[in-house]
Amino acid sequence: MQSMYAFKGTESDNLLKEQKFLLHSLDSMYDLYLAQLALFTELHKKSKDYNEKIKNKLVKTEADKNLNYKFQENQLLHLISSNTMLQEAIANSKLNYWHLDFEYVDILFKEILKSELYRDYCIDEDSSFKKDKHFVIDIFTDIIAPNEKLFDFFEDKKLTWVDDMPVVNTAILRILRKLKLTSPETALLPDLYKDDEDLEFAKELFQKTFLNNTKFAEEISTKTTNWDSERLASIDGLLLKMAICEFQKFPSIPTKVTINEYLEIAKEYSTPKSSLFINGILDKIVKEYQADNIHLKSGRGLM
């Protein structure tokens, strides 16, 4: 969707160039994932430096005397920081910006220290891996991921990262929730694609939507005579074209799956009323296909 939207804006007719942008954008998602895990490592280092600094103070407050080491000794953060394969991947990709942009680490670390999540974590006598994992997941969900300054930082680093953040953050949470102390190092280095078919599907969907753009637009226009043309020129129109492409060019994908997927994308990226609009148009198109006995789905249980 993002790549098709970018194509619309450039008025380019070079399919290979646009497909290269698509594949580059997909690869950038993995870079964002690694950059976020590098941030976890730097926050863990920061906790050690912070504790060392307090230990070396000549004059200590009462709070300094009761220094808490739970953040420093957090087992999940240690698992991330000590993962040699992960750290090599981060180093090879040159994605650890944090030693240069240390102010973002400082901002997040201070936010964590003053949070209720941190206070509750420190007084909890449970020092299990499960408790440590819940703490890291909570600070990521409530403090790190929503931080606007961090969002601006990622936007400045690479514009394509901005729209990828919800997807990447969701993937990070899913991976962290599954982690165990006995997990192999590869657990933190998932494949970008489930298999080769995933990559081929991405390329095919882009190519076939791209090459049939005018044809799909004409089909949509016959179903939307009473709708504002601006809506069709927006992301809504683009999602409709991609859905029609799946209806016509991917016979093994059930129509219900296609519709549900694009409704979810519309809820995330378009207007509040977009999902209703898209659902209505796609439902009408599917019923016409079925009545005319065209673009039927193949495979058991498909329609």
Side-chain angles (χ1 to χ4, degrees):
M1 182 197 76
Q2 293 163 1
S3 297
M4 285 296 300
Y5 192 78
F7 148 70
K8 187 186 76 169
T10 62
E11 297 181 353
S12 168
D13 59 356
N14 188 331
L15 177 58
L16 291 178
K17 176 185 172 184
E18 302 305 335
Q19 183 173 294
K20 187 176 179 180
F21 173 76
L22 165 67
L23 298 178
H24 174 71
S25 297
L26 290 168
D27 288 339
S28 292
M29 292 179 69
Y30 206 86
D31 290 346
L32 177 57
Y33 169 80
L34 291 176
Q36 295 262 52
L37 290 194
L39 178 57
F40 278 122
T41 300
E42 293 304 314
L43 285 169
H44 193 213
K45 287 181 185 175
K46 181 71 179 178
S47 71
K48 297 176 184 177
D49 294 342
Y50 174 81
N51 288 340
E52 195 64 29
K53 189 175 180 180
I54 291 179
K55 275 175 60 179
N56 293 330
K57 285 171 69 173
L58 293 176
V59 180
K60 295 182 174 66
T61 66
E62 200 60 37
D64 293 341
K65 293 175 184 177
N66 297 303
L67 196 58
N68 192 294
Y69 291 93
K70 285 197 76 173
F71 198 132
Q72 177 179 332
E73 295 172 355
N74 183 283
Q75 296 169 84
L76 177 55
L77 291 176
H78 177 72
L79 206 65
I80 294 171
S81 301
S82 63
N83 187 312
T84 54
M85 290 179 66
L86 172 64
Q87 298 307 325
E88 284 176 13
I90 292 169
N92 292 338
S93 301
K94 297 180 173 60
L95 290 166
N96 193 349
Y97 311 111
W98 309 112
H99 63 287
L100 296 175
D101 298 294
F102 58 87
E103 66 270 24
Y104 295 96
V105 179
D106 290 344
I107 289 168
L108 290 168
F109 187 70
K110 288 175 183 176
E111 285 291 318
I112 292 168
L113 290 190
K114 70 180 185 181
S115 70
E116 192 172 329
L117 284 171
Y118 178 74
R119 289 193 294 273
D120 291 345
Y121 176 62
C122 287
I123 62 175
D124 193 335
E125 294 182 1
D126 185 351
S127 58
S128 65
F129 179 75
K130 182 179 179 181
K131 182 62 69 171
D132 284 354
K133 181 163 69 170
H134 283 166
F135 171 68
V136 174
I137 289 171
D138 286 343
I139 62 170
F140 181 71
T141 304
D142 294 353
I143 297 173
I144 299 173
N147 188 278
E148 290 186 7
K149 289 182 179 178
L150 184 62
F151 181 90
D152 292 341
F153 169 77
F154 282 134
E155 185 176 27
D156 289 341
K157 281 294 178 186
K158 195 174 290 188
L159 189 60
T160 54
W161 277 357
V162 176
D163 287 330
D164 294 335
M165 286 189 73
V167 178
V168 173
N169 288 346
T170 300
I172 289 172
L173 288 173
R174 185 172 63 248
I175 289 166
L176 293 183
R177 288 185 181 119
K178 290 182 179 179
L179 273 183
K180 300 177 182 177
L181 275 174
T182 55
S183 296
E185 288 199 336
T186 52
L188 282 169
L189 288 166
D191 293 327
L192 179 58
Y193 306 102
K194 184 178 69 176
D195 51 37
D196 291 340
E197 287 183 10
D198 265 8
L199 174 58
E200 287 307 310
F201 171 72
K203 292 194 288 190
E204 275 191 62
L205 178 60
F206 180 75
Q207 291 169 357
K208 291 175 179 179
T209 305
F210 187 102
L211 294 172
N212 292 278
N213 186 55
T214 302
K215 174 187 170 187
F216 295 155
E218 290 172 354
E219 180 165 358
I220 293 166
S221 68
T222 64
K223 311 290 188 301
T224 55
T225 53
N226 297 323
W227 287 92
D228 188 346
S229 60
E230 286 187 11
R231 178 178 287 279
L232 296 175
S234 70
I235 286 177
D236 291 357
L238 180 53
L239 293 177
L240 284 171
K241 291 173 188 173
M242 293 173 69
I244 291 172
C245 184
E246 285 193 21
F247 288 162
Q248 295 188 9
K249 309 296 181 180
F250 295 86
S252 65
I253 300 178
T255 54
K256 287 183 179 179
V257 171
T258 294
I259 292 173
N260 288 339
E261 290 288 347
Y262 286 101
L263 292 182
E264 288 302 312
I265 296 173
K267 288 174 186 175
E268 183 70 34
Y269 291 99
S270 201
T271 68
K273 294 182 178 179
S274 293
S275 57
L276 287 173
F277 167 73
I278 290 172
N279 188 50
I281 301 302
L282 294 181
D283 185 61
K284 185 188 296 185
I285 290 172
V286 169
K287 286 177 179 175
E288 287 190 8
Y289 288 169
Q290 291 171 347
D292 295 338
N293 207 32
I294 58 173
H295 305 306
L296 300 180
K297 298 296 181 174
S298 60
R300 194 173 182 181
L302 302 182
M303 59 175 292

